Amino acid sequence: MPANPAAVSLKGRLSVRVGLENGRSVIRAARAEFPLVALRSQRLPEPGWLGLVVLTPSGGLLDGDELEAEIAVEAGAKLEVRTQAATQLHRGQSSQQWTLHVEDGGCLCYAPHSLVPHAGAAHRGAISARVTGTGRLLISEPAAPGRAHLGEHFAYDELLLDLDIWQDGVLTARDRHRVRPGGQPLPHLGPSTHFASLYAIGPGASALESHFAARPVSDALASGMSELAHGGRYAWLLANRAYDLQTALDAARHCWRESP
């Protein structure tokens, strides 16, 4: 056993494939390696939807931890992947990489809770998604300024968020978000402290336009939306509380799941 067990880094792996059997979405194959754990799947209120919660028993990522996950949704199947709670990013370097595949006619919603980078944390998150034909995909990425109750606003070292979405082999969306706050508020957020991005790809993406249009800018939340190539939508959200940000994202994913 190492002299300092706390210094041991973990490399978690997760692989999930969901298909359609007798009109119901089912998990065809699943494999998880610590510290990634997939809880038992559940039926969601919307017809045909299966929900899967992914968690890390440690409650976050420590220095040197690396997570990799691959989620595949076959034709006709519908899956929502969420995290149990916010992901705490402890001091040091960590990373997570998600590879998503949605076949023609499949639906995938990837909606984790916020990243919470602690003082001295440096984290890289990467998402690579491929969608075929009429496949539908929703991705949200929320982030907090740090542990507010400890006064750690923007005390982390670096936050890298990379995203690539391909539709039928064509790059539809690419995002490269690099934040080095140095203990200072982020100018591009204005007076806000929490932010999130949301991408909707495939049929039904336009339904989010009316959803966000009905949510005017307020002291609690600001948001906006723009159109992507091939009819997709991109939305940004700003808030000063994790609760307001998460409530808005939850409403958006419910709207999207219910859209045809």
Side-chain angles (χ1 to χ4, degrees):
M1 178 176 291
N4 181 11
V8 175
S9 59
L10 298 174
K11 303 184 185 302
R13 303 290 184 268
L14 175 69
S15 177
V16 176
R17 174 171 286 275
V18 173
L20 192 67
E21 292 184 4
N22 300 320
R24 292 164 60 92
S25 299
V26 298
I27 295 180
R28 295 194 187 279
R31 179 180 179 182
E33 298 178 15
F34 191 83
L36 274 175
V37 176
L39 300 183
R40 183 177 180 180
S41 59
Q42 295 182 331
R43 299 290 166 187
L44 299 181
E46 293 81 4
W49 278 92
L50 193 67
L52 186 67
V53 175
V54 177
L55 60 86
T56 54
S58 63
L61 301 182
L62 302 174
D63 185 25
D65 284 355
E66 299 176 2
L67 304 183
E68 289 186 11
E70 183 171 3
I71 309 294
V73 178
E74 298 176 0
K78 300 177 180 180
L79 175 68
E80 179 177 86
V81 178
R82 303 197 70 204
T83 54
Q84 186 182 41
T87 300
Q88 305 295 322
L89 305 175
H90 296 271
R91 177 181 294 273
Q93 297 187 349
S94 61
S95 68
Q96 55 179 326
Q97 180 173 336
W98 289 77
T99 302
L100 311 176
H101 303 275
V102 186
E103 294 183 5
D104 187 13
C107 299
L108 173 61
C109 174
Y110 173 59
H113 287 79
S114 287
L115 297 174
V116 182
H118 296 192
H123 178 77
R124 180 179 184 270
I127 298 176
S128 177
R130 294 186 178 274
V131 182
T132 303
T134 59
R136 300 176 63 219
L137 173 68
L138 185 78
I139 296 174
S140 61
E141 287 191 285
R147 295 181 293 182
H149 64 288
L150 295 180
E152 290 184 357
H153 278 85
F154 303 110
Y156 57 91
D157 288 348
E158 185 175 64
L159 188 61
L160 298 175
L161 299 175
D162 294 347
L163 177 141
D164 289 305
I165 301 176
W166 302 78
Q167 284 183 272
D168 294 323
V170 178
L171 184 64
T172 297
R174 167 166 286 177
D175 196 349
R176 297 292 184 266
H177 202 104
R178 185 175 191 176
V179 184
R180 290 179 172 176
Q184 301 297 319
L186 305 179
H188 65 287
L189 300 186
S192 301
T193 55
H194 297 63
F195 66 90
S197 60
L198 184 146
Y199 290 88
I201 304 297
S206 59
L208 289 176
E209 236 173 52
S210 57
H211 169 78
F212 279 96
R215 302 182 66 92
V217 175
S218 67
D219 293 337
L221 180 77
S223 62
M225 175 167 283
S226 59
E227 186 172 354
L228 299 172
H230 305 291
R233 296 295 188 276
Y234 163 74
W236 54 264
L237 301 89
L238 303 176
N240 282 310
R241 296 193 308 168
Y243 173 81
D244 296 323
L245 191 65
Q246 192 61 54
T247 298
L249 290 173
D250 287 345
R253 67 185 178 84
H254 282 298
C255 171
W256 183 81
R257 286 206 320 249
E258 292 172 348
S259 62

